[in-house]
Amino acid sequence: MLNVTYLSKHSFLNDMNIQILHYLAENNASYKPFATTTADIAKAVGSTQQTISRRLINLEKKGLVNRNATLNGLAITLTKDALNLLKEQFTLLSSIFGEQEELKGTL
């Protein structure tokens, strides 16, 4: 059964925002600032640079990323809230798609 509480609590999380958070997590932005550009993120998630720029601003307003301008682009770090959200998503998906016990025996 789909967790309605999770969906209502995170209604701003559309596919693109999730893709951006996953991309940042895959690049270790949870452990240290990840040096990148909005163009690089756009290429990775199949979007435009302008869209990624707007999305990062919104994710920062929601408290999910910290952005700092650098000479070569951005240094982005996921916040504790973002990590908790990703862990919550992982737990939810694991409960749906995790290993299922096979019952054996006779009735």
Side-chain angles (χ1 to χ4, degrees), residues 25 29-31 64 78-88:
S30 51
Y31 301 107
L64 297 175
L78 293 171
T79 66
K80 285 185 180 183
D81 286 346
L83 295 176
N84 289 337
L85 186 143
L86 291 170
K87 288 176 186 176
E88 191 177 340

Side-chain angles (χ1 to χ4, degrees), residues 28-101:
N28 296 317
S30 51
Y31 301 107
K32 60 182 179 174
F34 172 53
T36 189
T37 65
T38 52
D40 288 341
I41 298 171
K43 184 176 179 182
V45 301
S47 186
T48 65
Q49 179 274 325
Q50 295 85 353
T51 296
I52 297 304
S53 182
R54 284 191 307 271
R55 299 296 178 121
L56 287 173
I57 290 168
N58 289 333
L59 289 170
E60 187 173 40
K61 286 179 182 177
K62 294 287 185 185
L64 297 175
V65 299
N66 291 319
R67 299 177 307 134
N68 291 303
T70 67
L71 292 175
N72 299 319
L74 295 169
I76 304 174
T77 307
L78 293 171
T79 66
K80 285 185 180 183
D81 286 346
L83 295 176
N84 289 337
L85 186 143
L86 291 170
K87 288 176 186 176
E88 191 177 340
Q89 185 184 44
F90 174 78
T91 301
L92 175 63
L93 292 172
S94 292
S95 71
I96 296 168
F97 298 110
E99 283 191 36
Q100 303 293 319
E101 278 190 44

